[in-house]
């Protein structure tokens, strides 16, 4: 029997996982990647001894990683050296008050009660709801492969309409548990991980703060790139071939079949199956014949973007913890500027990451490695967006925030700076509009309503990644890769 060939476009997490599952089942799999290394947005930079994760900087929902590595035949905890981070974050508010989120419930109770009397009991009720959302959401929505309408619209799913609160606004819902606006922001900011505003996100996403406190926030020693390294080890062991610096010019299609891919260097690779791990809106816009789908995708809601600064610093700033968030008082105004105006807020919230607090090898001795991330609007052709000016404003806002925090000399100690804007995300990773999380996760773009993993016309063309089902984030990417591999197997057998 002829061994079937698969071309995977893009060596992101979903592409690597799908390629590995297929190679383990006897397929001849080749991955073509435009960049010089695997990982997609889970990228890593090294300069002058400073190590930077350019994408995710912390590991959440660890149980999903355990399950997905188990599906690949290995133990996640044996392949990746994990360090638990607790307190998970230090939150700093405009009035100078601080909150350290921790799984130590006694410590958390003492802190919360200084913000609002009775708030700890509110937290316990909120976490109980988040736990229900987590278990039901993962089991009934994330881990289900909705290949057809009847897979989703079933009598057994009707209770989910009230069990996981998909029609309730997350911020409005959390307001029933806390009155202090600082606590409302402390337990909804995680929606940004999905590129969402908590004022638009479904209350379902209370599952994220629940998982952080119940299952922990973790750091792979060596950085998030160690997850990529572990997956690559499994892929290479399975026989997957990787070709780097090999951007695809177009997917060759004919009638109802994808025949292969044409690379930018005009080399042609034929295949029985093509699997695109490049961001879905980009695939339809740039790699396939125009059929109206790309325009429909472009009209969908996209996630926000970020301005990310990577600094090598010649002194150590011990008072900047591993994960520090500065949350603005004008929480709603921040998200309106980002999501509606596609701009930088006047007084933005920001995230600081100091990986050397967790792993001394991330910086040279006596120096520091710092990452500052400021959420911002994605590229919008209807707006005049001067990203050089916007990034400079964001930079100054960071220094201003840190000065209020007691750090007034950082700018003088920066040895070098690298900055990613939405233009960078678009160029590096082919993300339409520079939207760092692809299509947004609004109610009408969740679960079955998210673009499916197979092309409607070209029946041997499949999709994996952030803008397809089940959605963005590393665990979702691995689940997506497994689902697509299983679907390919099932449809070949039928």
């Amino acid at each position: 029997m002829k061994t079937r060939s698969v071309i995977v476009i893009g060596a992101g997490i979903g592409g690597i996982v799908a390629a590995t599952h297929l190679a383990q089942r006897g397929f001849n799999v080749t991955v073509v990647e435009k960049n010089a290394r695997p990982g997609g947005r889970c990228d890593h930079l090294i300069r002058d001894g400073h190590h930077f994760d350019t994408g995710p900087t912390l590991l959440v929902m660890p149980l999903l990683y355990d399950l997905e590595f188990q599906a690949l035949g290995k133990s996640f905890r044996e392949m990746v050296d994990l360090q638990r981070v607790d307190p998970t974050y230090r939150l700093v508010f405009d009035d100078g008050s601080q909150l350290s989120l921790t799984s130590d419930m006694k410590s958390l109770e003492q802190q919360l009660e200084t913000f609002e009397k009775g708030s700890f009991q509110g937290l316990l009720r909120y976490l109980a709801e988040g736990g229900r959302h987590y278990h039901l959401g993962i089991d009934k929505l994330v881990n289900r492969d909705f290949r057809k309408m009847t897979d989703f619209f079933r009598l057994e799913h009707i209770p989910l309409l009230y069990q996981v609160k998909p029609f309730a606004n997350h911020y409005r819902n959390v307001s029933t548990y806390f009155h202090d606006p600082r606590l409302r922001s402390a337990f909804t900011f995680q929606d940004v991980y999905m590129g969402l505003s908590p004022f638009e996100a479904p209350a379902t996403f209370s599952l994220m703060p629940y998982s952080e406190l119940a299952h922990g926030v973790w750091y792979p020693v060596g950085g998030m790139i160690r997850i990529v390294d572990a997956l690559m080890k499994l892929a290479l062991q399975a026989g997957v071939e990787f070709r780097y610096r090999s951007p695809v010019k177009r997917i060759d299609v004919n009638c109802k079949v994808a025949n292969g891919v044409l690379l930018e260097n005009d080399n042609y690779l034929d295949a029985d199956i093509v699997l695109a791990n490049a961001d879905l809106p980009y695939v339809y816009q740039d790699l396939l014949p125009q059929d109206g789908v790309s325009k429909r995708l472009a009209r969908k809601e996209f996630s926000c973007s970020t301005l990310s600064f990577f600094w090598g610093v010649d002194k150590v700033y011990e008072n900047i913890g591993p994960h520090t968030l500065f949350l603005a008082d004008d929480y709603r105004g921040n998200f309106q500027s980002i999501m509606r105006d596609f701009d930088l807020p006047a007084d933005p919230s920001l995230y600081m990451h100091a990986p050397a607090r967790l792993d001394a090898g991330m910086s040279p001795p006596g120096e520091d490695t710092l990452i500052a991330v400021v959420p911002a609007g994605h590229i919008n052709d209807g707006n005049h967006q001067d990203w050089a000016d916007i990034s400079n404003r964001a930079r100054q806002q960071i220094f201003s925030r840190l000065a209020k925090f007691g750090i007034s000399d950082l700018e003088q100690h920066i040895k070098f700076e690298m900055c990613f804007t939405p233009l960078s995300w678009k160029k590096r990773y082919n993300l339409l509009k520079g939207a760092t999380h692809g299509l947004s996760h609004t109610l009408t773009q969740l679960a079955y309503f998210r673009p499916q993993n197979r092309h409607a016309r070209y029946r041997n063309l499949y999709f994996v990644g952030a803008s397809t089902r089940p959605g963005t984030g590393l665990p979702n990417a691995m689940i997506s890769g497994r689902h697509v591999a299983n679907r390919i197997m099932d449809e070949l057998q039928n």
Side-chain angles (χ1 to χ4, degrees):
M1 181 178 177
K2 175 180 176 289
T3 300
R4 295 183 183 271
S5 60
V6 181
I7 296 292
V8 179
I9 304 171
I13 298 296
I16 298 171
V17 169
T20 305
H21 278 294
L22 291 170
Q24 288 177 342
R25 301 178 196 186
F27 288 77
N28 183 1
V29 185
T30 300
V31 179
V32 290
E33 166 59 46
K34 72 181 284 285
N35 293 323
R37 53 188 176 268
R41 278 162 281 185
C42 190
D43 209 345
H44 192 77
L45 299 176
I46 303 174
R47 180 170 169 179
D48 299 342
H50 297 269
H51 295 246
F52 304 91
D53 284 321
T54 61
T57 56
L58 46 79
L59 189 151
V60 295
M61 297 189 176
L63 303 186
L64 297 185
Y65 288 84
D66 292 336
L67 291 173
E68 293 310 312
F69 270 79
Q70 182 180 346
L72 289 166
K74 292 292 181 179
S75 166
F76 177 54
R77 310 288 172 132
E78 291 179 3
M79 295 195 72
V80 179
D81 183 8
L82 293 179
Q83 177 180 342
R84 186 160 186 170
V85 184
D86 198 302
T88 55
Y89 313 93
R90 177 162 52 168
L91 308 183
V92 182
F93 302 98
D94 280 352
D95 63 359
S97 59
Q98 297 185 24
L99 174 63
S100 293
L101 296 183
T102 172
S103 296
D104 181 342
M105 289 292 108
K106 188 65 178 176
S107 171
L108 195 53
E109 178 181 11
Q110 292 171 349
Q111 293 182 77
L112 291 179
E113 292 300 314
T114 67
F115 283 80
E116 176 188 328
K117 293 298 182 183
S119 59
F120 183 67
Q121 290 304 314
L123 173 68
L124 294 181
R125 294 194 303 274
Y126 181 65
L127 292 180
E129 177 184 90
R132 182 174 72 249
H133 290 178
Y134 177 88
H135 293 292
L136 287 171
I138 297 301
D139 181 47
K140 301 291 186 180
L141 299 174
V142 175
N143 242 332
R144 297 295 178 94
D145 184 7
F146 301 115
R147 299 180 188 179
K148 55 186 183 297
M149 186 181 298
T150 52
D151 291 336
F152 181 73
F153 292 101
R154 306 171 64 132
L155 288 176
E156 67 183 77
H157 289 158
I158 290 177
L160 293 176
L161 295 176
Y162 60 85
Q163 289 175 332
V164 300
K165 295 188 174 181
F167 299 113
N169 173 281
H170 193 186
Y171 189 84
R172 190 178 304 120
N173 184 66
V174 82
S175 299
T176 64
Y177 297 97
F178 308 106
H179 296 295
D180 192 305
R182 294 169 297 177
L183 298 185
R184 293 173 180 178
S185 61
F187 295 104
T188 58
F189 74 82
Q190 296 87 348
D191 293 345
V192 177
Y193 297 162
M194 310 292 285
L196 275 173
S197 160
F199 298 95
E200 299 174 356
T204 311
F205 286 119
S206 62
L207 64 87
M208 289 193 289
Y210 160 78
S211 180
E212 288 181 349
L213 293 178
H215 308 143
V217 170
W218 301 79
Y219 179 78
V221 176
M224 293 293 286
I225 194 64
R226 294 295 174 247
I227 298 171
V228 179
D229 294 341
L231 291 172
M232 283 297 297
K233 182 177 181 180
L234 297 178
L236 294 172
Q237 288 175 346
V240 179
E241 177 189 357
F242 288 84
R243 299 188 187 185
Y244 301 108
R245 298 185 177 89
S246 301
V248 173
K249 181 184 294 186
R250 64 178 172 85
I251 299 171
D252 178 35
V253 293
N254 180 24
C255 296
K256 295 185 177 182
V257 175
N259 299 308
V261 300
L262 181 67
L263 303 181
E264 289 285 358
N265 62 9
D266 289 329
N267 284 348
Y268 183 83
L269 303 175
D270 60 4
D272 297 309
I273 296 163
V274 176
L275 171 56
N277 183 211
D279 196 43
L280 186 70
Y282 167 80
V283 173
Y284 274 97
Q285 179 174 281
D286 286 60
L287 302 185
L288 287 171
Q290 295 301 300
D291 60 0
V293 177
S294 65
K295 291 183 179 179
R296 290 198 296 274
L297 285 173
R299 289 194 296 268
K300 287 184 176 291
E301 294 286 330
F302 281 74
S303 72
C304 65
S305 190
T306 67
L307 299 161
S308 298
F309 297 87
F310 307 96
W311 290 320
V313 183
D314 66 9
K315 65 175 283 190
V316 177
Y317 288 89
E318 287 289 352
N319 52 343
I320 299 179
H323 303 296
T324 305
L325 284 103
F326 296 84
L327 294 175
D329 276 353
D330 190 8
Y331 194 57
R332 183 185 298 271
N334 257 252
F335 284 105
Q336 286 179 342
S337 294
I338 294 166
M339 302 296 184
R340 304 286 175 83
D341 302 332
F342 308 107
D343 200 357
L344 178 74
D347 184 24
S349 297
L350 71 98
Y351 162 70
M352 293 287 301
H353 176 48
R357 298 303 159 272
L358 302 169
D359 183 353
M362 296 296 99
S363 298
E367 299 186 357
D368 220 344
T369 297
L370 298 176
I371 301 171
V373 180
V374 181
H378 60 61
I379 296 168
N380 182 266
D381 294 334
N383 288 30
H384 173 69
Q385 296 167 305
D386 183 340
W387 290 109
D389 174 68
I390 293 172
S391 59
N392 184 60
R393 285 193 281 128
R395 190 176 190 270
Q396 295 308 313
Q397 287 284 359
I398 295 169
F399 296 141
S400 176
R401 283 269 185 178
L402 290 175
K404 295 176 183 176
F405 188 58
I407 298 173
S408 57
D409 64 344
L410 175 59
E411 190 171 11
Q412 289 73 50
H413 289 278
I414 294 175
K415 301 192 308 180
F416 64 83
E417 172 181 292
M418 297 174 285
C419 177
F420 284 12
T421 72
L423 297 175
S424 312
W425 301 115
K426 180 179 180 181
K427 181 179 180 180
R428 284 175 173 266
Y429 308 111
N430 290 333
L431 297 174
L432 199 65
K433 306 188 183 195
T436 49
H437 299 79
L439 292 177
S440 187
H441 291 73
T442 54
L443 179 61
T444 57
Q445 294 178 184
L446 282 175
Y448 176 76
F449 302 106
R450 203 162 183 81
Q452 69 163 299
N453 302 94
R454 190 185 68 180
H455 197 283
R457 179 177 180 183
Y458 311 117
R459 311 299 281 181
N460 64 333
L461 173 57
Y462 297 84
F463 307 110
V464 64
S467 291
T468 59
R469 301 171 189 166
T472 195
L474 297 190
N476 280 337
M478 291 190 287
I479 292 169
S480 181
R482 172 170 56 83
H483 281 176
V484 169
N486 288 340
R487 181 169 186 170
I488 289 171
M489 291 295 297
D490 292 344
E491 291 177 349
L492 286 176
Q493 291 172 0
N494 293 333

